[in-house]
Amino acid sequence: LIKLSAKKVKNYISQQKAGINVLSFPPQITDMQVFFWDKYKVVPHYTYRIDLSLKMEEITANFDSKNRNKINKAAKEGVIVEENSLTGEQLYTYFHSTLGSTGANMYVDVLKGVLTKFPNGANSFSLTAKHNNVVIGNVFCIYDKHNCYYILGGVNKDSGIPGVNNLLIQKSIDKAKQLGCKIYDFEGSIIKGVEVFFR
């Protein structure tokens, strides 16, 4: 069945009149050998997915113990997390600043569109971490009836409070469960530090 489907995909691609065709497959498709055999270029990308049918206690029990400790420390420091408390423009300004400080490549127009034009109240949410009423971290996720995708996260490292991003991610996983999503998907990253953190 997989080989038959792959053949149909290859036939479709060969009929396209473009110099380059790029096709992304869902994470459930893990065997790409039929494309290798026909000399297609296959570029693997990695993601991490959490089964949201598990209880929150089971999910957090699978966190690295260092992450659990950081979450507890952030909570003890008085970090509070608010839902959808910033406008899209405020989120854009925040992420533009935090991403810029990491040296990450940014597509500014796309970033602004995702944060200001895409949200409609039923397809995304943001969580904001505050300490003494000062914003020290944000997470932005999008979702559908099956999956919640972690799209962006950033923290103010000058706050001196460890575990802010860890806390925000835990809260976003819990929010995804509340929304009825089945899977929490980290969307992966090719940035080594981010990838190691997700892992």
Side-chain angles (χ1 to χ4, degrees):
L1 184 60
I2 291 173
K3 287 181 181 178
L4 180 62
S5 298
K7 186 175 181 181
K8 288 182 179 179
V9 170
K10 288 187 292 185
N11 288 342
Y12 173 79
I13 292 173
S14 66
Q15 293 168 7
Q16 303 308 302
K17 300 190 186 294
I20 297 175
N21 289 293
V22 178
L23 185 61
S24 296
F25 288 83
Q28 295 88 345
I29 307 297
T30 57
D31 185 356
M32 304 300 290
Q33 291 181 97
V34 289
F35 292 94
F36 275 115
W37 296 333
D38 278 1
K39 309 301 181 195
Y40 284 86
K41 182 177 182 180
V42 177
V43 181
H45 293 271
Y46 298 89
T47 187
Y48 299 95
R49 307 178 92 210
I50 295 175
D51 179 358
L52 296 178
S53 68
L54 298 171
K55 294 179 181 177
M56 200 61 200
E57 295 78 17
E58 294 174 289
I59 293 171
T60 56
N62 283 317
F63 288 177
D64 185 294
S65 60
K66 292 176 185 175
N67 286 318
R68 287 197 303 269
N69 291 337
K70 286 181 180 180
I71 290 167
N72 292 334
K73 284 179 183 177
K76 285 178 183 176
E77 288 280 348
V79 175
I80 62 166
V81 176
E82 298 175 350
E83 185 179 323
N84 297 324
S85 64
L86 299 184
T87 67
E89 287 288 345
Q90 289 171 319
L91 285 171
Y92 168 72
T93 299
Y94 186 87
F95 283 121
H96 187 274
S97 173
T98 57
L99 290 172
S101 69
T102 65
N105 290 331
M106 277 191 294
Y107 299 93
V108 176
D109 292 338
V110 174
L111 177 65
K112 191 166 192 176
V114 166
L115 295 170
T116 63
K117 295 178 183 176
F118 176 76
N120 66 10
N123 64 5
S124 58
F125 63 87
S126 65
L127 297 177
T128 300
K130 292 184 177 179
H131 185 255
N132 294 331
N133 213 31
V134 175
V135 174
I136 58 172
N138 279 293
V139 160
F140 179 77
C141 298
I142 64 172
Y143 63 92
D144 56 31
K145 63 184 178 180
H146 298 294
N147 302 310
C148 178
Y149 299 94
Y150 173 96
I151 301 298
L152 286 167
V155 296
N156 179 356
K157 294 180 180 176
D158 293 335
S159 72
I161 301 174
V164 174
N165 205 30
N166 311 64
L167 177 62
L168 283 167
I169 289 175
Q170 178 177 296
K171 295 286 188 182
S172 67
I173 293 168
D174 196 25
K175 175 65 178 175
K177 281 181 63 65
Q178 294 171 32
L179 290 166
C181 298
K182 307 292 187 285
I183 296 289
Y184 185 95
D185 192 323
F186 282 93
E187 276 291 287
S189 177
I190 59 169
I191 300 171
K192 185 176 180 180
V194 176
E195 167 72 9
V196 170
F197 176 69
F198 288 166
R199 194 176 291 195

